[in-house]
Amino acid sequence: MSSLINNLINAMEQAVFEVTDYHSHKFKLIEGQSDWVKKLLPKATHQNVFIINDDTPFLLDFLFDANQVWHNNENAKLKSGLWTEVTDNGKELHLEAIAIKHQGNNLLLITNQSDEFSFRQKTLQTARELLLSNDKLIEQNEYLNNRIQSILKQPSEQSDILLALTKAIENASFGVLITNADFITLIENSSAEKVFNVQQTAKAVSAKPVDIITKLLINQLPEYDRIITTKSSWTGELCWMSPPSTLKWLKVALYPVKNELNELTNWIVFINDISDLKHLVQHNEQLALLDMLTELPNRISFWQALEQHIAQQDQFYLLYIDINDFRHHNEFYGHEAGDELLIEVSIRLKEQLTPADYLARVGGDEFAIILSQINCQKDCQLAVDNIINHIKKPFYTANNDLININVNVGAASYPNDAKNVEELMKFVDLSAYSAKKGKNSTLQFYDQSIKEASDKVLEIEHELKTAVTNNEFELYLQPIVDLEQRRIVKAEALIRWNHPQKGIVGPVQFIPIAEQSELIITIGKWVIESACKIAKYIEQHGYKIKISMNLSPTQVLDDNLFNFLYSKIKTYNVEPALLELEVTEGVLVDDYSVIDKLLSKVRAIGMSVSVDDFGTGYSSLAYLKKLPLDSIKIDKSFIQDIATDDNDKAIVRAVIAMAHNLNLGVIAEGVEDNEQLHFLSKNLCDSAQGYLFSRPIKVEEFLQLIKEYQ
């Protein structure tokens, strides 16, 4: 029997040692005499006592921890984890040790894991290859999504649209569904049928691909309600039990299609069967719980860890971190640079956490953290501030391109905010979404007001749709005065909302919501058309006054902006020289290539371009030199104390001199008294705008003001 056991242990690549004196690291080999044992421990012979010394430093280090197991009277085990030893002939041994206390016996079991290690490396390589093909799939998804979106938004007959969609999706190697707003399928390709075995499962009502997907989303996605309510896109993995009992893993991408009123018209759904990758994962625990790109725990592992933390009933904070503009970085710098960015963010996050904290990558550009040892909001704020400051450090791609990293952070507390995994994840996701109000890194703690604010935004968004339909907007004009000639040469068009219950509503109260909901495109078109009408109307009264319009960042990225602008110029027969576009510094920097093309076209037809709120955003001197611009507007924050603040005086003088050296005009905003006006005139500022001359007024009042100045 002893010989049989020894053969079995040798076959399993194991060696069993009795601990004769754990203080002095003395052991006796009981079973297992394979060649690798002799190479690892040359002095270990059968039934003879030997000492483990620093020839195997990792094993020796493990023995100090193992002593605690052997010292106690209770049965226990302690694993060393995998480590590597190199033998005299250069061969690598991949080993794992287990310290065992069983019924008073102290044992050490060492296993040679080289075959298992080799297998894992092969599966890791295979997984990497599959992931590379998955990256290509993502690029195909993005291309096809843009193509489908453009078809759906064309003003064509329904039959023509369906025909064009069928041609676009039929040759896709992955499943594609196009539904209406209620997830009723309009069209699907044959690949979708293959994924779900529609022919084989036709008898089952749930066999329809769209029914399967929606059911999986509802059951497996905590953020499902938020995604549907906010009409957001989503990409992730879903698990499906294919009848009768086949487990399938699906990579699903969900994209909304919206009309000009930001109303949902369609859903585009992409489905790819990734079961091969998942089955491969089942043979490798590291793959099963690891994100291959960042080598962090994945969403599955994080969910398990979160359940364990809740089971312990100790208070902790959960963080949800989302990288701002990641899709823009991916498109502009390429997917390789995007991967580099994700890896770097994961490293920076790890550097700011303690060993007790838990970090995982839970989505494409989303990370989650369990702050185990933090139980008050003040400490959480401090920890997140450190994380944000560390993440925001400059990041350069392999091509030496600089990417500015900003993140949104949502935070929720257990058990104060929620007492189960599902609610906690929902609340922290809503908090992170709420934090997406600007381009700067932001932390948002969950509280009831977030839900109330979200409901309020939805209410205003609904009212804005009604305002567009009922033409409740009006353009006011604020004059811009030439300081040398003392006459009105220009006017800034400022939108007002004639709300049926609230009266006149200023842009500060609704433009951010319009921007967030993408209604800004429709409202922006209304402003452009109204400005063209006004410019022509004023000209017909005998005055050539340039009308200046503000462009939002979203408008700048609208591919149809210039065509729409040019068509309205033609429709109302207005001179392009009587129109001007105003853009902010942030737009110049963030969307340089796009804005350069747009402004070049605008100036080519005779319109002018101005930079709004200059000095409050980025250091844009290089952009002022490169871009086709005509003037800059000094922000009112530098003007309000100009009579008393020497720093503001110096800044304004420098901006005027710099602009004139670049052949740019200078407009001062927020001029309210004669002292400010005198300083600006003395320092050769070209024009000024502010309450000293007039508040924003209606068009008829503006015409009367022109006459007074004349």
Side-chain angles (χ1 to χ4, degrees):
M1 181 63 72
S2 176
S3 175
L4 180 61
I5 293 174
N6 189 57
N7 289 337
L8 178 62
I9 288 175
N10 285 333
M12 295 179 67
E13 297 283 303
Q14 293 179 335
V16 183
F17 301 87
E18 179 186 351
V19 184
T20 58
D21 185 350
Y22 58 80
H23 294 293
S24 56
H25 304 142
K26 291 181 180 180
F27 297 86
K28 185 190 333 181
L29 178 62
I30 301 174
E31 299 291 351
Q33 301 183 53
S34 300
D35 290 340
W36 66 267
V37 178
K38 298 173 184 176
K39 293 174 182 176
L40 176 68
L41 303 167
K43 297 179 181 179
T45 57
H46 188 59
Q47 296 297 337
N48 289 325
V49 176
F50 70 100
I51 296 175
I52 294 178
N53 55 33
D54 56 8
D55 289 339
T56 54
F58 185 93
L59 179 58
L60 184 64
D61 187 56
F62 170 68
L63 296 180
F64 287 101
D65 295 326
N67 286 348
Q68 298 298 320
V69 174
W70 295 322
H71 176 73
N72 294 325
N73 295 323
E74 297 179 359
N75 293 345
K77 292 181 183 179
L78 178 67
K79 290 187 177 183
S80 68
L82 206 64
W83 89 92
T84 301
E85 297 282 354
V86 181
T87 62
D88 293 338
N89 61 0
K91 183 179 178 181
E92 287 187 352
L93 296 175
H94 301 284
L95 307 166
E96 183 177 46
I98 305 176
I100 302 171
K101 180 80 172 190
H102 185 71
Q103 295 181 356
N105 296 308
N106 292 333
L107 301 171
L108 175 67
L109 176 67
I110 301 179
T111 304
N112 181 10
Q113 300 273 19
S114 293
D115 290 342
E116 175 67 15
F117 180 83
S118 178
F119 173 74
R120 288 189 180 191
Q121 290 303 103
K122 288 178 181 178
T123 55
L124 285 169
Q125 182 58 34
T126 305
R128 288 190 178 99
E129 291 170 0
L130 285 170
L131 287 168
L132 286 173
S133 65
N134 186 52
D135 288 342
K136 293 179 181 178
L137 178 70
I138 292 171
E139 293 182 24
Q140 294 171 13
N141 281 1
E142 291 174 354
Y143 170 79
L144 188 56
N145 175 47
N146 292 333
R147 174 76 180 124
I148 294 172
Q149 294 266 8
S150 65
I151 293 173
L152 286 169
K153 291 179 180 179
Q154 289 175 1
S156 307
E157 293 294 329
Q158 182 70 10
S159 58
D160 295 337
I161 291 177
L162 290 177
L163 180 60
L165 289 173
T166 301
K167 291 180 179 179
I169 70 174
E170 188 50 42
N171 293 324
S173 59
F174 46 88
V176 181
L177 307 176
I178 300 172
T179 77
N180 65 9
D182 297 319
F183 280 108
I184 296 174
T185 303
L186 301 176
I187 189 171
E188 65 186 28
N189 67 352
S190 55
S191 294
E193 296 178 355
K194 291 177 183 177
V195 170
F196 294 102
N197 302 319
V198 171
Q199 286 74 23
Q200 290 92 319
T201 59
K203 293 181 181 179
V205 176
S206 62
K208 291 182 180 179
V210 70
D211 293 337
I212 296 170
I213 288 295
T214 50
K215 186 176 181 180
L216 295 178
L217 287 168
I218 292 169
N219 292 338
Q220 299 180 27
L221 204 61
E223 56 264 50
Y224 174 78
D225 291 338
R226 192 264 299 167
I227 290 168
I228 300 303
T229 303
T230 59
K231 303 178 281 285
S232 303
S233 58
W234 176 84
T235 302
E237 297 175 2
L238 299 173
C239 181
W240 174 54
M241 185 63 73
S242 172
S245 58
T246 302
L247 185 67
K248 277 193 174 185
W249 282 92
L250 309 175
K251 181 85 170 181
V252 177
L254 192 67
Y255 298 100
V257 182
K258 296 174 260 188
N259 62 17
E260 288 192 343
L261 294 177
N262 198 42
E263 295 169 335
L264 183 70
T265 59
N266 302 89
W267 288 103
I268 302 170
V269 187
F270 296 150
I271 312 113
N272 191 56
D273 188 345
I274 58 168
S275 300
D276 288 344
L277 176 60
K278 287 298 180 178
H279 292 159
L280 179 66
V281 163
Q282 291 175 0
H283 296 289
N284 192 317
E285 184 180 356
Q286 184 181 8
L287 280 174
L289 302 176
L290 202 65
D291 170 57
M292 291 301 300
L293 178 66
T294 62
E295 298 186 355
L296 292 176
N298 60 16
R299 189 183 183 97
I300 298 171
S301 181
F302 179 77
W303 197 273
Q304 294 173 356
L306 194 56
E307 288 178 331
Q308 291 171 3
H309 275 73
I310 288 178
Q312 293 169 2
Q313 297 186 344
D314 293 328
Q315 187 172 352
F316 64 87
Y317 270 87
L318 175 62
L319 305 181
Y320 207 83
I321 300 172
D322 176 71
I323 302 175
N324 269 337
D325 297 325
F326 180 74
R327 185 171 181 177
H328 169 75
H329 297 325
N330 241 3
E331 292 173 352
F332 191 80
Y333 298 104
H335 287 280
E336 286 188 12
D339 287 349
E340 292 172 16
L341 176 60
L342 290 170
I343 293 169
E344 179 63 23
V345 168
S346 70
I347 293 171
R348 294 183 185 187
L349 287 171
K350 280 190 285 189
E351 290 171 345
Q352 292 298 303
L353 301 178
T354 70
D357 299 327
Y358 194 93
L359 168 65
R361 183 188 176 201
V362 294
D365 61 340
E366 297 161 344
F367 298 84
I369 298 173
I370 300 171
L371 295 176
S372 302
Q373 298 176 327
I374 290 181
N375 52 27
C376 73
Q377 192 172 109
K378 182 179 178 181
D379 290 344
C380 183
Q381 176 80 57
L382 182 61
V384 173
D385 287 343
N386 291 334
I387 288 171
I388 289 176
N389 291 333
H390 194 56
I391 287 179
K392 287 174 68 175
K393 292 177 181 178
F395 169 71
Y396 291 90
T397 68
N399 295 326
N400 209 34
D401 294 315
L402 172 64
I403 298 180
N404 292 305
I405 310 174
N406 286 295
V407 294
N408 303 306
V409 183
S413 169
Y414 172 84
N416 297 333
D417 295 325
K419 293 180 172 60
N420 60 64
V421 174
E422 290 78 10
E423 280 197 345
L424 198 59
M425 286 293 285
K426 280 184 180 179
F427 292 164
V428 78
D429 172 74
L430 184 61
S431 301
Y433 184 78
S434 176
K436 292 184 179 180
K437 293 179 180 178
K439 291 184 178 292
N440 294 324
S441 298
T442 311
L443 166 64
Q444 176 66 62
F445 287 97
Y446 176 79
D447 59 46
Q448 185 61 29
S449 65
I450 291 178
K451 188 176 186 308
E452 293 170 359
S454 178
D455 293 341
K456 184 67 175 177
V457 167
L458 291 174
E459 178 188 337
I460 294 176
E461 183 183 333
H462 176 73
E463 291 179 344
L464 280 174
K465 293 175 186 176
T466 304
V468 171
T469 305
N470 296 342
N471 197 25
E472 296 175 4
F473 297 114
E474 184 177 1
L475 276 191
Y476 280 45
L477 300 176
Q478 185 171 34
I480 297 173
V481 177
D482 183 294
L483 295 186
E484 184 178 356
Q485 302 178 31
R486 300 290 179 171
R487 67 183 184 88
I488 297 174
V489 292
K490 197 187 302 184
E492 182 176 357
L494 298 166
I495 191 170
R496 297 292 185 267
W497 179 6
N498 293 315
H499 195 285
Q501 283 82 41
K502 302 174 185 175
I504 301 297
V505 178
V508 174
Q509 294 174 263
F510 66 89
I511 289 297
I513 295 173
E515 183 83 39
Q516 180 181 327
S517 67
E518 298 180 17
L519 274 170
I520 196 67
I521 298 292
T522 303
I523 294 173
K525 287 180 178 179
W526 180 89
V527 169
I528 289 171
E529 184 166 9
S530 300
C532 289
K533 290 180 184 178
I534 289 172
K536 189 65 179 179
Y537 180 73
I538 294 174
E539 184 185 16
Q540 289 171 343
H541 281 75
Y543 308 106
K544 288 185 178 290
I545 304 294
K546 190 187 293 284
I547 305 299
S548 184
M549 303 167 281
N550 294 285
L551 282 188
S552 78
T554 304
Q555 280 180 282
V556 169
L557 297 176
D558 180 14
D559 294 334
N560 297 318
L561 175 62
F562 178 77
N563 290 338
F564 179 84
L565 177 61
Y566 190 65
S567 70
K568 295 306 171 184
I569 289 173
K570 291 295 184 184
T571 299
Y572 295 101
N573 193 28
V574 62
E575 293 181 34
L578 296 180
L579 297 172
E580 180 173 88
L581 295 183
E582 288 189 21
V583 294
T584 62
E585 288 183 274
V587 171
L588 297 183
V589 176
D590 291 342
D591 305 299
Y592 173 75
S593 60
V594 176
I595 197 72
D596 187 26
K597 293 176 183 177
L598 173 64
L599 299 189
S600 296
K601 290 180 182 178
V602 164
R603 292 182 89 233
I605 64 172
M607 291 179 63
S608 58
V609 179
S610 178
V611 180
D612 194 19
D613 300 333
F614 185 79
T616 59
Y618 303 81
S619 298
S620 311
L621 303 185
Y623 296 93
L624 293 181
K625 182 176 69 173
K626 294 177 182 178
L627 287 169
L629 305 171
D630 295 283
S631 59
I632 61 174
K633 299 180 77 172
I634 304 175
D635 186 70
K636 61 184 179 182
S637 61
F638 298 106
I639 304 300
Q640 60 187 12
D641 296 324
I642 202 170
T644 57
D645 192 311
D646 290 339
N647 289 328
D648 284 343
K649 288 180 181 179
I651 290 171
V652 171
R653 286 194 190 102
V655 171
I656 293 172
M658 175 200 65
H660 287 166
N661 285 331
L662 293 171
N663 294 319
L664 298 174
V666 183
I667 304 164
E669 294 182 297
V671 178
E672 297 183 357
D673 59 51
N674 285 307
E675 284 186 278
Q676 296 168 345
L677 180 62
H678 176 71
F679 177 87
L680 293 168
S681 298
K682 180 181 177 182
N683 287 279
L684 304 179
C685 183
D686 300 301
S687 306
Q689 170 184 359
Y691 288 175
L692 178 64
F693 308 107
S694 173
R695 291 177 178 271
I697 52 179
K698 295 187 176 186
V699 175
E700 295 299 334
E701 295 176 78
F702 182 75
L703 279 172
Q704 184 60 38
L705 188 65
I706 294 175
K707 293 177 183 177
E708 294 175 10
Y709 267 82
Q710 290 295 97

